[in-house]
Amino acid sequence: MDFNVKKLASDAGVFFTRAVQFTEEKLGQAEKTELDPHLENLITRADSTKNWTEKILKQTEVLLQPNPSARIEEFIYDKLDKKLPSRTTNAELLGQYMLEAASDLGAGTPYGSTLIIVGEYQKRLGGAEREFLQTSASTFLTPLRNFLEGDCRTISKERRLLENRRLDLDICKARLKKAKQAEAKAALLSEEVDKAEHELRVAQTEFDRQAEVTRLLLEGISSTHLNHLRCLQDFAEAQATYYAQCHHYMQDLQRELSRTQNPSPSRTSSGEAVSSLSSQNPSALAIQQTQLPVTGTRKAKVLYDYDAHDSSELSLLADELITVYTVPGMDPDWLIGERGNEKGKVPVTYLELLS
């Protein structure tokens, strides 16, 4: 191996003199060049941003994946730059067990048929959870990790260089001070003072240049905050969509269970009758809607995308405007939506009613 002995000795000497300067500063035996207040404020802000980003990232990972072993597996796959195998969610696994139990215990029995209904909805909940986890990982977790592993490391590297340049500057200041003291006692030639002054100028230039580089990087934290703000809004929107889907599925499940427990038409509410009728005959919904008296119509803005689960419902696209109204006896969590010639039930939680 080819060693550059002179360079190695020089680097060791520089490290030693920096260590001495740093120790003397801590002991109050040497002067220290202070950074300007603006740069100090930027450094404090960057440290706070890094600290809170790490905490938010860690806790979000715990929220999305409570299983520590699974988080370790995800971390390993991420470091190996490999795609994590698709993992069945707990709700999907529960739904699958319920369906298998119904098959084994008898799908025609009341218990077996209810297991099938609940199992199917558990699988839907699991699918919604899977989509939420994927969206959150790509729109929120990944940008936070990229900041910590990219910009933060670059800033830390430049700050270390700035600290070294500051130490070098203070070392040169101390040498010049000693040289002038020795010159005053006629114990040192003026050439040594000139040399010390030249080294100080060089050190000052390098320090100023590194301070400017560090300052520019630290001022970029403002852009980081804006980016994290957008990511946070995306995360909140993904959460809202996920919980709205879960709420919708559970309402549907309750209606399904209510119908199985009360199959008699006389005991079925008019809102459930609309759903039952539409499931048996899709065209019957439109007929019944035209026959029932309509309350006041109004405009509504769609908040999230919604995929219709059967022909009685109307699929929605986020930000579009539709006309909505209700009919007597209809479930209060649903409205009738119209878009052109299309008509169907729409969940209220996906809408913003306009005056």
Side-chain angles (χ1 to χ4, degrees):
M1 186 177 291
D2 184 20
F3 284 102
N4 189 330
V5 179
K6 289 184 178 180
K7 184 178 186 305
L8 188 62
S10 176
D11 291 343
V14 170
F15 176 81
F16 179 75
T17 54
R18 288 173 178 170
V20 171
Q21 175 68 23
F22 181 80
T23 303
E24 289 179 348
E25 289 175 357
K26 290 298 182 182
L27 296 175
Q29 299 175 357
E31 296 180 359
K32 176 182 177 180
T33 299
E34 300 294 340
L35 301 177
D36 68 81
H38 176 61
L39 187 56
E40 288 283 9
N41 289 336
L42 290 176
I43 290 174
T44 301
R45 189 164 177 246
D47 287 339
S48 296
T49 300
K50 178 177 181 293
N51 179 49
W52 286 112
T53 301
E54 289 174 337
K55 290 182 178 180
I56 292 172
L57 174 62
K58 181 178 180 181
Q59 194 57 40
T60 305
E61 290 174 336
V62 173
L63 172 68
L64 298 179
Q65 179 50 265
N67 188 338
S69 299
R71 291 202 303 274
I72 293 175
E73 181 183 3
E74 292 174 357
F75 175 80
I76 293 174
Y77 272 90
D78 180 64
K79 290 302 178 184
L80 295 176
D81 199 22
K82 291 186 177 181
K83 185 178 181 180
L84 183 70
S86 179
R87 183 185 292 114
T88 303
T89 63
N90 291 328
E92 288 176 313
L93 188 59
L94 175 59
Q96 185 61 38
Y97 285 167
M98 288 182 173
L99 294 178
E100 292 175 1
S103 176
D104 187 34
L105 300 176
T109 65
Y111 180 45
S113 61
T114 303
L115 278 173
I116 292 176
I117 295 173
V118 177
E120 288 292 348
Y121 276 96
Q122 291 300 322
K123 294 182 73 173
R124 292 186 185 182
L125 289 171
E129 180 185 359
R130 181 197 302 277
E131 183 178 350
F132 168 59
L133 295 177
Q134 292 173 346
T135 301
S136 299
S138 62
T139 63
F140 190 60
L141 296 182
T142 299
L144 296 188
R145 287 198 195 100
N146 290 342
F147 166 70
L148 292 174
E149 297 175 2
D151 293 350
C152 267
R153 290 184 178 180
T154 301
I155 290 173
S156 296
K157 176 184 175 182
E158 297 301 328
R159 284 177 60 183
R160 287 193 298 269
L161 287 175
L162 178 62
E163 178 64 9
N164 289 338
R165 296 292 180 264
R166 185 198 63 75
L167 289 171
D168 293 342
L169 176 62
D170 289 334
I171 290 169
C172 290
K173 287 181 178 179
R175 285 175 181 170
L176 179 59
K177 184 177 180 180
K178 291 179 181 178
K180 287 184 176 180
Q181 290 173 350
E183 183 186 34
K185 296 178 181 179
L188 190 68
L189 297 177
S190 60
E191 288 81 2
E192 294 297 328
V193 176
D194 293 340
K195 179 181 177 182
E197 289 177 342
H198 173 71
E199 291 176 348
L200 176 59
R201 287 193 295 271
V202 172
Q204 184 70 57
T205 300
E206 293 180 350
F207 171 77
D208 292 341
R209 182 186 300 113
Q210 186 59 40
E212 180 65 15
V213 171
T214 306
R215 181 185 64 79
L216 292 174
L217 285 173
L218 292 172
E219 287 178 344
I221 292 294
S222 297
S223 298
T224 298
H225 286 184
L226 292 176
N227 182 47
H228 287 184
L229 170 61
R230 289 190 292 269
C231 295
L232 186 59
Q233 291 170 336
D234 291 340
F235 176 64
E237 183 177 350
Q239 271 189 312
T241 301
Y242 168 59
Y243 289 125
Q245 287 177 325
C246 292
H247 178 67
H248 169 64
Y249 288 147
M250 294 312 297
Q251 285 184 317
D252 283 353
L253 174 58
Q254 288 177 322
R255 282 190 287 271
E256 288 282 349
L257 294 177
S258 178
R259 280 198 290 269
T260 59
Q261 294 171 0
N262 305 287
S264 173
S266 62
R267 298 176 60 186
T268 303
S269 68
S270 57
E272 292 171 343
V274 172
S275 299
S276 177
L277 179 63
S278 63
S279 63
Q280 298 171 6
N281 184 4
S283 62
L285 177 65
I287 297 174
Q288 181 164 348
Q289 288 169 359
T290 57
Q291 293 174 345
L292 291 174
V294 177
T295 63
T297 62
R298 60 193 301 184
K299 291 292 184 179
K301 179 181 178 182
V302 179
L303 299 176
Y304 322 107
D305 290 347
Y306 176 74
D307 294 326
H309 296 93
D310 54 51
S311 57
S312 71
E313 297 179 3
L314 178 66
S315 294
L316 303 173
L317 294 175
D319 297 327
E320 71 174 333
L321 294 178
I322 62 173
T323 301
V324 295
Y325 57 88
T326 185
V327 295
M330 189 173 183
D331 190 318
D333 292 321
W334 291 82
L335 292 171
I336 301 299
E338 289 187 354
R339 181 182 54 229
N341 296 326
E342 297 179 295
K343 179 187 298 185
K345 296 189 301 179
V346 293
V348 174
T349 52
Y350 280 65
L351 304 174
E352 177 187 352
L353 298 178
L354 306 176
S355 57

